[in-house]
């Protein structure tokens, strides 16, 4: 996917001013945050489960090589064809090769963020293959030729009205305005594609090492049909998704849907182990799994490793005050919100996403919500440090920090400077004690706010005078 | 009990009454309060801007200034959180400094937490006639576990009643340099906070962090609300809510 994170500020500004987007975001916030809070309350040991889940994910990552090998052995034994790829281009090519090698003309796809990373739909389409998204949200996005704005609710930025108009236009049918009817229409349109597709592509929420399985969760059942109806099923999975056992899977499943949508469990949970066996009533003739790196091993060896614990629930963005107000598109790549502010720089390059680690208040609402306790603000801070090191941070800011530190290390000089500032500030504040207009960087403050003015003397000045008297 | 008071650079410059109020509260509680005169800043701006060396220098300076105290008390969740939850990481590559940071972190308290749980203030001899609503600043709440402490203390102030606003734990959008780097987003978040404050119709918004105070008050005034007072919890508890500091 093309990366547009460099325009973060501009797009964020547009989204803040876009009434429709604002309405959609307000709806989503109410829905996700409230639902999650309720679901969490039902568990009396949520914190314990979170701790255990974080530990399991850490353990997987620390022994990833070993679990991946175990996974591959078991998968191969079950008849799965395993491909290892390093880059996005390689993944797309492998998929196209599988498709063309098997005379595939039509592909149905269930939601995969990894697929978004590599732009797999466009790639296959350029290769002459018809690709149909089957997750309702992804289907809407595909019809609108847009990008997802949320990892579990890709079309959350669109209103019911937007979708009604879109469907009427794309489906060439009378406009509907009832959600159930719209869903029904999409289903009707998609059904024949399910039946005549040659290949199904899914992502994988997890890979289970002890059984060599891939696993996906969906709410619409489209994933189940994608894995079982076409004669070929290909799962694309990034390597960090590997976990040791089914027991671990059940632990993580206690958190995933609760954190994501507030459901105690998703409607569907499909575990796939190998292709159709003799006597199976359905399933594909061939089952391929493409194991993908694209930056994961690099992150594994870096101080950002905890980000790989992510189970893609979306809670961090749902709870992020910045995301709640600008939505996902401003972040400019596949993963928005706090996790995106870490993964985007990590996967596509810090220099292409300079704003992202900075566009956060460090309120910590994300990491408190994260089911696997990823310290997202700390990771963003690491990236800020990297930016300073690489001189990617704005020069003005770097100089200002240096000057500040220099001054604050010299108490006498600092005392004089602050005395002066307190006096000037008091004058600038006038009778009301409010500064309406600041120069330079301060202008960004006073564009939408006043600044309560200093009171004329610093604390230390007053304190010293008292001590003397 | 030797208690070091860290004023914070922001209160020192912008609102000394917070420091004076904290001092008064601690002295009244019987603490032997020391205010190191060379104190400046805890280093958080540098730390959060990615200037680790700058932050390290200021952290080491602060640690040495408070090294003879039994406690360090800070009228700010953000700055106490910096010391308590970040100094050890900040100094992790410097073993000696790191050990001192651990020592200091264990002794560092946010003011209301200290008053409620260490000195266990049971009576507060001041009056405040009016309704207040309390905003939970992020670092105080999520790093220092400050939630009930200020409310318990405020409840002891005669004449004062607390009316909770909706979403009091939602970030106000200050975020340090965030407020001037992403002004539009910051103002939006402040605006949402102001909406809740307005709906609550309290006489005063009370909170424990000056950064958030400046942000919310600045937005309230710009919106034309000159009625709602914005006060630091220390000011209310010490009965120092007047405009003049001396
Ligand atoms: S970082 Fe945590 S909260 Fe965010 S999507 Fe990943 S698992 Fe969920």
């Amino acid at each position: 996917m093309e990366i547009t994170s460099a325009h973060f500020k501009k797009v964020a500004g547009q989204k803040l001013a876009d009434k429709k987007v604002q309405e959609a975001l307000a709806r989503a916030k109410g829905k996700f945050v409230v639902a999650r809070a309720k679901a969490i309350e039902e568990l009396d040991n949520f914190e314990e489960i979170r701790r255990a889940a974080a530990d399991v994910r850490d353990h997987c990552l620390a022994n990833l090589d070993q679990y991946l090998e175990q996974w591959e052995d078991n998968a191969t034994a079950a008849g799965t064809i395993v491909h290892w790829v390093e880059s996005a281009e390689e993944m797309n090519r492998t998929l196209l090769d599988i498709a063309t090698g098997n005379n595939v003309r039509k592909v149905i796809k269930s939601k995969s963020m990894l697929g978004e990373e590599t732009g797999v739909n466009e790639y296959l389409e350029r290769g002459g293959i018809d690709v149909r998204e089957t997750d309702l949200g992804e289907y809407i996005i595909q019809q609108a030729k847009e990008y997802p704005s949320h990892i579990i609710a890709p079309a959350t930025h669109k209103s019911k009205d937007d979708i009604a108009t879109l469907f009427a236009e794309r489906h060439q049918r009378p406009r509907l305005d009832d959600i159930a009817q719209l869903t029904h229409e999409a289903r009707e349109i998609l059904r024949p594609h399910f039946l005549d597709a040659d290949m199904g592509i899914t992502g994988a929420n997890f890979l289970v090492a002890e059984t060599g399985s891939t696993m996906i969760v969906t709410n619409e059942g489209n994933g189940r049909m994608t894995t079982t109806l076409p004669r070929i099923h290909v799962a694309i999975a990034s390597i960090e998704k590997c976990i040791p056992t089914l027991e671990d899977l059940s632990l993580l499943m206690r958190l995933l849907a609760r954190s994501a949508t507030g459901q105690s469990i998703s409607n569907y949970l499909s575990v796939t182990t190998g292709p159709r066996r003799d006597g199976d009533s359905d399933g594909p003739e061939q089952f391929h799994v493409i194991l993908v790196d694209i930056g994961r091993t690099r992150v594994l060896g870096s101080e950002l490793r905890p980000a790989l614990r992510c189970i893609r629930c979306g809670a961090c963005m749902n709870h992020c005050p910045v995301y709640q107000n600008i939505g996902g598109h401003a972040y400019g790549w596949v993963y928005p919100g706090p996790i995106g502010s870490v993964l985007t720089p990590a996967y596509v390059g810090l220099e292409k996403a300079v704003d992202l680690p900075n566009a956060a208040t460090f309120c910590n609402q994300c990491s408190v919500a994260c089911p696997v306790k990823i310290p997202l603000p700390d990771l963003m801070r690491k990236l800020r440090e990297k930016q300073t090191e690489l001189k990617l941070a704005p020069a003005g800011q770097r100089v200002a920090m240096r000057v500040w530190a220099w001054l604050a290390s010299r108490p006498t000089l600092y005392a004089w400077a602050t005395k002066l500032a307190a006096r000037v500030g008091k004058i600038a504040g006038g009778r009301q004690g409010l500064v309406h207009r600041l120069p330079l960087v301060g202008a960004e403050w006073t564009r939408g706010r006043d600044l309560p003015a200093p009171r004329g003397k610093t604390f230390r000045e007053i304190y010293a005078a008292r001590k003397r008297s | 009990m030797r208690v070091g008071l860290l004023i914070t650079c922001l209160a020192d410059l912008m609102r000394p009454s917070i420091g004076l109020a904290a001092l008064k509260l601690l002295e009244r509680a019987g603490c032997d309060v020391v205010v190191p005169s060379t104190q400046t800043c805890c280093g958080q701006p540098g730390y959060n801007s990615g200037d680790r060396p700058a932050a390290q220098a200021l952290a080491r300076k602060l640690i040495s200034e408070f090294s003879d105290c039994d406690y360090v008390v800070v009228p700010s969740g953000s700055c106490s959180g910096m010391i308590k939850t970040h100094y050890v990481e900040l100094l992790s590559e410097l073993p000696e400094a790191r050990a001192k940071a651990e020592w200091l972190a264990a002794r560092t308290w946010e003011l209301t937490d200290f008053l409620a749980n260490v000195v266990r203030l049971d009576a507060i001899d001041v009056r405040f006639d009016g309704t207040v609503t309390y905003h939970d600043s992020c670092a105080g709440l999520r790093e220092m576990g400050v939630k009930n402490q200020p409310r318990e203390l405020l409840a002891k102030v005669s004449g004062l009643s607390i009316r909770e606003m909706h979403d009091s734990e939602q970030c106000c959008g200050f975020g340090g340099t965030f407020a001037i780097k992403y002004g539009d987003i910051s103002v939006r978040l402040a605006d949402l906070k102001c909406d809740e404050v307005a709906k609550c119709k309290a006489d005063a918004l009370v909170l424990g962090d000056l950064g958030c105070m400046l942000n919310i008050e600045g937005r309230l005034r710009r919106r034309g609300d000159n009625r709602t007072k914005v006060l630091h919890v220390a000011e209310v508890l010490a009965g120092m809510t007047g405009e003049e500091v001396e």
Side-chain angles (χ1 to χ4, degrees):
Chain A
M1 175 174 161
E2 192 199 348
I3 157 153
T4 57
S5 307
H7 309 302
F8 175 85
K9 245 183 152 169
K10 196 180 91 201
V11 182
Q14 289 164 356
K15 301 293 174 188
L16 283 173
D18 186 328
K19 239 182 103 205
K20 270 192 170 173
V21 170
Q22 291 300 316
E23 281 167 14
L25 286 168
R27 259 196 320 274
K29 182 194 169 204
K31 201 170 77 191
F32 288 128
V33 174
V34 174
R36 173 196 171 269
K38 269 206 199 117
I40 297 309
E41 222 167 81
E42 284 166 16
L43 295 173
D44 47 13
N45 56 348
F46 176 62
E47 282 309 316
E48 252 170 77
I49 303 175
R50 261 180 103 214
R51 179 73 268 161
D55 287 347
V56 163
R57 292 296 291 137
D58 269 343
H59 172 81
C60 312
L61 294 172
N63 303 282
L64 193 57
D65 50 343
Q66 180 194 324
Y67 287 120
L68 282 169
E69 272 175 25
Q70 187 193 354
W71 179 86
E72 184 182 26
D73 288 346
N74 290 328
T76 313
T80 305
I81 304 164
V82 180
H83 311 255
W84 297 77
V85 305
E86 216 179 301
S87 67
E89 161 64 24
E90 225 182 310
M91 183 192 104
N92 289 344
R93 196 167 5 104
T94 307
L95 266 168
L96 186 61
D97 287 347
I98 297 171
T100 46
N102 288 287
N103 296 319
V104 167
R105 280 182 316 264
K106 184 181 285 179
V107 164
I108 48 171
K109 190 157 157 285
S110 90
K111 194 164 118 11
S112 158
M113 298 318 285
L114 180 58
E116 298 289 340
E117 279 186 48
T118 69
V120 67
N121 293 6
E122 297 77 19
Y123 190 95
L124 291 178
E125 275 159 7
R126 277 198 302 275
I129 309 231
D130 181 2
V131 184
R132 303 282 165 162
E133 290 286 355
T134 61
D135 170 89
L136 184 58
E138 288 286 350
Y139 175 75
I140 293 166
I141 293 301
Q142 190 185 30
Q143 294 305 313
K145 298 197 175 20
E146 288 178 17
Y147 295 119
S149 65
H150 190 287
I151 60 172
I152 62 158
T156 186
H157 58 284
K158 292 196 117 31
S159 68
K160 187 188 73 185
D161 273 353
D162 294 340
I163 295 164
T165 310
L166 175 76
F167 277 13
E169 190 194 304
R170 308 289 297 179
H171 298 164
Q172 299 284 317
R173 292 190 182 187
R175 193 173 188 279
L176 301 167
D177 47 22
D178 174 73
I179 293 181
Q181 285 178 341
L182 286 165
T183 313
H184 185 79
E185 184 174 289
R187 199 173 281 160
E188 250 177 44
I189 302 269
L190 279 169
R191 182 153 300 138
H193 297 303
F194 276 116
L195 297 175
D196 67 6
D198 312 287
M199 181 162 128
I201 299 178
T202 66
N205 287 84
F206 297 107
L207 302 166
V208 184
E210 71 171 349
T211 55
S213 318
T214 62
M215 190 284 247
I216 56 170
V217 298
T218 68
N219 270 332
E220 296 160 16
N222 61 312
R224 179 71 52 88
M225 296 209 271
T226 309
T227 59
T228 52
L229 289 179
R231 58 191 160 86
I232 302 167
H233 170 204
V234 187
I236 51 180
S238 51
I239 51 172
E240 87 281 11
K241 298 292 176 72
C242 193
I243 55 170
T245 65
L246 286 170
E247 193 62 40
D248 298 325
L249 178 67
S250 76
L251 173 76
L252 292 163
M253 287 308 295
R254 298 186 70 187
L255 295 171
L256 180 55
R258 285 190 169 91
S259 304
T261 52
Q263 294 164 285
S264 50
I265 191 150
S266 53
N267 294 348
Y268 293 84
L269 187 166
S270 313
V271 180
T272 309
T273 316
R276 179 206 294 241
R277 280 158 299 212
D278 292 341
D280 282 357
S281 59
D282 59 11
E285 292 157 20
Q286 290 176 31
F287 179 40
H288 298 257
V289 176
I290 309 182
L291 290 176
V292 182
D293 183 356
I294 326 188
R296 270 65 174 177
T297 45
R298 203 179 55 234
V299 175
L300 194 64
S302 78
E303 46 192 10
L304 301 179
R305 183 197 277 194
L308 295 178
R309 296 206 289 254
C310 178
I311 60 172
R312 304 284 190 267
C313 70
C316 56
M317 53 205 79
N318 295 338
H319 289 77
C320 172
V322 175
Y323 177 94
Q324 284 167 359
N325 284 282
I326 64 170
H329 284 150
Y331 292 83
W333 199 54
V334 180
Y335 306 101
I339 187 64
S341 295
V342 175
L343 291 184
T344 306
Y347 290 162
V348 306
L350 192 52
E351 71 291 348
K352 294 199 183 111
V354 175
D355 272 313
L356 300 194
N358 294 296
T361 64
F362 281 176
C363 69
N364 219 1
Q365 288 174 203
C366 53
S367 77
V368 168
C370 175
V372 285
K373 297 171 83 88
I374 301 176
L376 292 152
D378 293 344
L379 301 183
M380 285 182 235
R381 191 184 296 105
K382 292 275 166 231
L383 289 166
R384 295 184 188 184
E385 286 173 5
K386 262 260 132 49
Q387 291 185 339
T388 304
E389 232 173 78
L390 300 174
K391 301 206 178 356
L392 287 169
Q397 176 195 317
R398 280 184 283 127
V399 172
M401 281 307 145
R402 294 269 95 186
V403 172
W404 171 248
W406 184 85
L407 192 63
S409 307
R410 287 164 180 73
T412 318
L413 193 60
Y414 181 87
W416 280 104
T418 47
K419 262 188 201 174
L420 182 67
R423 282 164 180 72
V424 173
K426 182 175 161 94
I427 296 167
R431 230 165 26 91
Q432 284 180 299
L434 293 172
V435 182
H436 303 301
R437 209 136 149 212
L438 286 166
L440 307 170
V441 283
E444 184 88 1
W445 179 284
T446 45
R447 203 141 49 82
R449 284 162 292 210
D450 291 333
L451 181 71
R455 305 295 173 82
K457 284 187 179 173
T458 67
F459 170 86
R460 293 187 307 164
E461 221 182 325
I462 300 166
Y463 183 73
R466 277 201 191 172
K467 280 257 154 165
R468 276 197 303 272
S469 62
Chain B
M1 179 155 76
R2 206 173 149 81
V3 175
L5 176 59
L6 172 66
I7 301 304
T8 78
C9 58
L10 208 52
D12 178 56
L13 173 64
M14 303 294 290
R15 193 142 165 159
S17 52
I18 296 172
L20 296 170
L23 182 64
K24 188 162 158 189
L25 285 163
L26 291 170
E27 281 178 346
R28 273 208 203 141
C31 303
D32 169 17
V33 185
V34 287
V35 187
S37 65
T38 55
Q39 61 173 292
T40 55
C41 167
C42 68
Q44 187 178 171
Y47 185 53
N48 284 348
S49 298
D51 192 336
R52 201 171 166 87
Q56 284 174 338
L58 292 176
R60 298 177 75 160
K61 172 174 167 296
L62 187 146
I63 292 172
S64 72
E65 284 160 348
F66 286 88
S67 62
D68 59 350
C69 297
D70 301 314
Y71 295 95
V72 179
V73 175
V74 195
S76 157
S78 174
C79 309
S80 56
M82 176 68 195
I83 301 171
K84 201 170 182 75
T85 67
H86 296 295
Y87 265 17
V88 173
E89 189 286 323
L90 172 62
L91 297 166
S92 56
E93 62 266 37
L94 311 163
E96 209 177 305
R98 185 202 144 102
K100 288 185 188 157
E102 273 169 12
W103 184 90
L104 194 74
R107 284 163 180 72
T108 299
W109 293 75
E110 185 274 341
L111 177 70
T112 60
D113 194 13
F114 185 77
L115 293 176
N117 293 319
V118 180
V119 299
R120 297 178 197 278
L121 222 55
D122 40 33
I124 292 176
D125 191 19
V126 296
R127 255 199 102 75
F128 182 93
D129 288 305
T131 325
V132 307
T133 193
Y134 193 86
H135 164 68
D136 298 285
S137 290
C138 298
L141 177 70
R142 282 176 274 271
E143 290 181 351
M144 300 301 286
V146 173
K147 177 73 191 176
N148 293 326
Q149 302 90 322
R151 291 174 172 81
E152 278 167 26
L153 295 168
L154 287 169
K156 298 187 209 289
V157 173
S158 47
L160 181 152
S161 61
I162 301 178
R163 187 184 299 149
E164 294 290 343
M165 67 176 134
H166 179 61
D167 261 355
S168 68
E169 297 185 357
Q170 181 79 357
C171 175
C172 76
F174 173 62
T177 55
F178 176 84
I180 47 172
K181 281 199 215 157
Y182 302 94
D184 292 346
I185 305 174
S186 179
V187 166
R188 166 61 60 82
L189 302 184
D191 226 15
L192 295 172
K193 185 56 68 180
C194 292
D195 288 345
E196 296 302 344
V197 173
K199 267 190 243 160
C200 186
K201 292 196 173 67
D203 300 305
L205 167 71
V206 177
L207 60 165
D209 260 288
L210 180 53
C212 316
M213 283 174 72
L214 297 174
N215 189 40
I216 304 173
E217 181 172 2
R219 183 62 196 162
L220 277 175
R221 303 299 174 244
R222 180 61 62 91
R223 282 161 54 127
D225 178 344
N226 293 310
R227 184 196 69 88
T228 313
K229 293 195 185 83
V230 179
L231 301 168
H232 193 280
V233 61
E235 295 172 325
V236 180
L237 296 175
M240 297 173 68
T241 56
E243 282 305 299
E244 289 311 312
V245 292
E246 288 172 280

